[in-house]
Amino acid sequence: MARLTDNARAVLARRYLLRDDAGAVLEEPEGLWRRVATALAAAEEPGERSRWAERFEARMAGLELLPNSPTLMNAGRAGGQLAACFVLPVDDDLASIFDALKWAALIHQSGGGTGFSFSRLRPKGDLVRTTHGVASGPVSFIRVFDAATETIKQGGVRRGANMAVLGVEHPDVLEFVDAKRGPGLENFNISVAASDAFMRAAQRGEPFALRHPRSGAPAVEVSARELLDRIAGAAWASGEPGLVFLDRVEAANPTPDLARFEAVNPCGEQPLLPFEACTLGSINLGRFARGGAVDWDGLAACVRDGVRLLDDVLTVNVWPLPQIAAVSARNRKIGLGVMGWADLLVQLGVAYDAPAALALADELMGFVQREAHAASEALAAERGPFPGFATSALARAGGRPRRNATVTTIAPTGTLSVIAGCSSGVEPLFAVAYVRHALGGVSLEEEHPELLGRLRALGAEAALPRLLANGRARGVPGVPEEIQRVFATAHDVAPEVHVRMQAAFQRHVDNGVSKTINLPREATVESVRRAYELAFELGCKGITVYRDGTREGQVLTHGVAA
Ligand code: UDP
């Protein structure tokens, strides 16, 4: 079993370990791995269960592969809801709006996050026929969802997370774009769904028509470029909204016969159809470096186990709604991804912002994707393809039957990376040393586990206090060149390189890639727009920017406080 950091133990004890009715912790982390592995292996043939349970347990205990948080929290418990991401439909009537709200509350209670498109709602000021009143518009309903989430958030296993998507052509888009500039909507991320037509109009400086969502009639014409600048300006100021390139997302829809995409999950990496869910899992890449190279065989074996484990999650999951159970059973979407990418690069001695890192991202994720698809094909041979396969885009293109309509996603791994003690997702190191403000106000000091060893090897331990004080290595006098190069942090990496890294991974991912494009504090609105245009050009499915210092109470702060 791999060693857990103190931080990992604290996180597990707080939310993941089983407790009795009085709140006393009933299991050790070892027990957690066994509970989850045993619960998932129940999907296997009776004679094979103990063999698979042992395999899954070894993967988790070795911190090589972890399923998403709801699986770790709830597997083997009564009513175990195991998926992290859901999308619920919101139609332009009160019954539908409040059904979605109620279902979201139930999903939050189980640790899942919910995404919604509010694009179908009539705009503010429109007529309400039944009451002869005036419609209040999508943003006011988003505030209702936010208030409800706020009120119930203490009851669930974790704070409910939401995503609101609004189409760029909706007449209320400007109100939406600015909705997070002020206080409120703390329980929502927001994203504008930008069509290809809109992005092209913005590039060409053409006008763009906002349209009534029900009739499709043009409501008002705006300058696409000015609207994109408004979005960039709000994101510059507050980190939101993000952009989702919905046409591109739709082009990769494996089951367009079932429905079109309208929304994504809370952190944006997972487009889903109405009532669809996705189960995520992440491989810790730092565990697959051997002697300064990638252990390809070891990685392939872990990918195969990961696909099987996630397919087993689907089988044993207790879905929160019959509609969700039906779509999930039909498409069997899973999202296997990676974390610890920056750690792997450190072990290989490759700087995150070197061309070699971009090339390795392509090679590595291409490998993971091929192995994952092959594993899903092997499962289809064993267990049958996902029931929607026959009418899927995959079948129409002559593809081999798969067990899962999608197989790969790169999740943020916000908590999983803490549990595994690795860098999150495919992000650069946030810092080489930092204070983590978490766990009810407790501050934890950490340095990168490889840092001291590398300094020693160079006979440069004397630089450690400076590194701790600065949180970064680049540009710090007295820090060896080699350390400065390899320990690149999020703020050392140019925005363009962030976007290129996202695009490199996206080329080999069925779903989306969670990535934050970090900008320095002094970045301009113009640079945000350039990042949008590059992301669009390079085939990303969306983009989220974050300018340093924009939000108060950041979870991570540079440098260890003196
Ligand atoms: N999520 C959520 N609430 C949270 C964190 C995450 O509902 O507090 C959902 C959300 O859909 C997000 C997904 O889980 O996109 C994956 O997030 P992450 O990888 O950070 O979760 P982890 O498994 O590491 O806890």
Side-chain angles (χ1 to χ4, degrees), residues 6 33 106 127 130-131 178 196 210 240-241 257 289 314 338 372 383 405-406 449 503 555:
D6 291 347
W33 311 133
L106 297 175
L127 185 69
T130 42
T131 58
D178 290 337
D196 286 3
L210 307 187
E240 299 206 60
D257 58 309
L314 292 176
V338 297
R383 299 173 165 176
T406 65
V555 179

Side-chain angles (χ1 to χ4, degrees), residues 68-69 84-85 111-113 158-159 161 265-267 269 280 411-416:
N68 55 209
S69 287
C85 320
R158 60 176 169 177
R159 198 177 144 207
N265 73 336
C267 302
E269 72 281 7
L280 307 178
T413 71
T415 326
L416 292 192

Side-chain angles (χ1 to χ4, degrees), residues 8 43 81 103 107 121 128 173 185 194 203 219 223 227 229-230 250 253 258 304 331 388 396 402 409 418 437 441 507:
Q81 194 299 106
W103 295 331
I107 290 169
L121 301 199
V128 181
V173 67
L185 298 189
Q203 270 159 2
S223 151
L227 178 49
D229 278 340
R230 277 286 286 271
E250 184 57 32
N253 187 348
L258 181 59
R304 286 195 292 273
N331 281 354
R396 279 206 310 275
R402 283 187 198 151
T409 302
V418 176
H437 303 293
R507 280 194 280 280

Side-chain angles (χ1 to χ4, degrees), residues 96-120:
S96 167
I97 294 169
F98 283 91
D99 275 344
L101 182 55
K102 168 184 161 187
W103 295 331
L106 297 175
I107 290 169
H108 292 167
Q109 204 175 28
S110 74
T114 44
F116 317 86
S117 163
F118 289 88
S119 301
R120 293 189 222 165

Side-chain angles (χ1 to χ4, degrees), residues 57-78:
E57 185 183 340
R59 291 288 184 200
M60 291 185 280
L63 302 176
E64 295 173 342
L65 167 72
L66 293 176
N68 55 209
S69 287
T71 302
L72 294 177
M73 291 166 166
N74 302 333
R77 293 184 188 183

Side-chain angles (χ1 to χ4, degrees), residues 173-193:
V173 67
L174 286 178
E175 185 189 0
F176 180 78
V177 164
D178 290 337
K180 291 204 67 172
R181 277 182 182 260
L185 298 189
E186 265 83 28
N187 303 294
F188 265 87
N189 291 328
I190 64 172
S191 276
V192 174

Side-chain angles (χ1 to χ4, degrees), residues 22-63:
V25 173
L26 288 177
E27 66 185 358
E28 290 289 312
E30 295 73 22
L32 180 154
W33 311 133
R34 176 143 313 159
R35 162 172 60 80
V36 175
T38 308
L40 303 187
E44 300 287 341
E45 293 294 328
E48 298 283 307
R49 284 182 193 157
S50 59
R51 186 167 75 85
W52 283 109
E54 275 171 35
R55 179 87 70 90
F56 295 158
E57 185 183 340
R59 291 288 184 200
M60 291 185 280
L63 302 176

